[in-house]
């Protein structure tokens, strides 16, 4: 399986999806067409689901998500929840967010409650790094 690296921009997040289970993404996500932007990422995750690493470590650090992007990130975590349920991979996630962003904190809680079989560490920080 090939790794997938997507460079971030002013309107799109970065993604580093490595076949060894090291997955990270974040930045700003407000693409004009979220479904099109996330298609390649969802496709890679579907391939990864078939033959994952024994451990999957996810690092997330969004500064901003628009509503269509938040829906796509929810779908990504739904897939990881199913992968965890399959027993093929042990999944953990560290999620950084700007401590002043209550909306993001609430969104992360919704993801965490949905993907309740994934081990989450939620880390408030002063500043989300640029990629």
């Amino acid at each position: 399986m090939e790794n997938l690296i997507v460079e971030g921009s002013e309107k799109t997040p970065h993604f580093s999806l490595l076949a060894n289970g090291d997955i990270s993404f974040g930045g700003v996500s407000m693409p004009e067409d979220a479904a099109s932007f996330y298609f390649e990422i969802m496709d890679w995750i579907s391939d990864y689901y078939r033959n994952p690493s024994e451990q999957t470590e996810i690092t997330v650090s969004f500064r901003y998500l628009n509503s269509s992007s938040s829906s796509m990130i929810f779908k990504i975590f739904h897939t990881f929840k199913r992968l965890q349920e399959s027993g093929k991979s042990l999944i953990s996630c560290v999620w950084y967010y700007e401590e002043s962003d209550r909306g993001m904190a609430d969104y992360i809680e919704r993801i965490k409650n949905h993907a309740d079989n994934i081990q989450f560490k939620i880390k408030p920080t002063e500043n989300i790094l640029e990629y």
Side-chain angles (χ1 to χ4, degrees):
M1 170 168 207
E2 297 284 321
N3 296 331
L4 176 63
I5 308 295
V6 176
E7 298 294 328
S9 73
E10 288 181 9
K11 292 189 174 194
T12 59
H14 72 87
F15 275 83
S16 175
L17 306 170
L18 306 182
N20 70 359
D22 188 10
I23 295 173
S24 65
F25 48 94
V28 171
S29 188
M30 52 182 186
E32 301 216 4
D33 183 353
S36 291
F37 175 80
Y38 281 94
F39 178 80
E40 181 180 26
I41 290 145
M42 295 299 292
D43 194 43
W44 187 95
I45 292 170
S46 293
D47 286 346
Y48 181 77
Y49 186 97
R50 289 185 204 90
N51 189 25
S53 174
E54 287 182 17
Q55 291 196 321
T56 303
E57 296 181 12
I58 305 166
T59 304
V60 183
S61 56
F62 280 108
R63 281 190 306 121
Y64 177 79
L65 285 167
N66 67 9
S67 58
S68 57
S69 295
S70 64
S71 174
M72 297 306 294
I73 298 302
F74 195 89
K75 288 178 184 181
I76 287 171
F77 274 94
H78 180 73
T79 303
F80 284 128
K81 174 185 178 170
R82 287 185 21 244
L83 177 57
Q84 176 86 345
E85 288 169 351
S86 76
K88 296 181 195 176
S89 185
L90 180 61
I91 301 174
S92 62
C93 176
V94 177
W95 195 316
Y96 296 91
Y97 74 99
E98 291 180 349
E99 59 190 340
S100 62
D101 190 344
R102 289 301 323 148
M104 185 66 73
D106 292 344
Y107 174 73
I108 295 166
E109 277 301 312
R110 286 195 305 274
I111 295 277
K112 183 180 172 187
N113 289 336
H114 176 72
D116 57 355
N117 59 351
I118 294 174
Q119 178 186 355
F120 278 89
K121 289 183 183 169
I122 312 302
K123 305 252 184 169
T125 184
E126 301 247 339
N127 250 335
I128 297 297
L129 299 175
E130 295 288 329
Y131 287 90

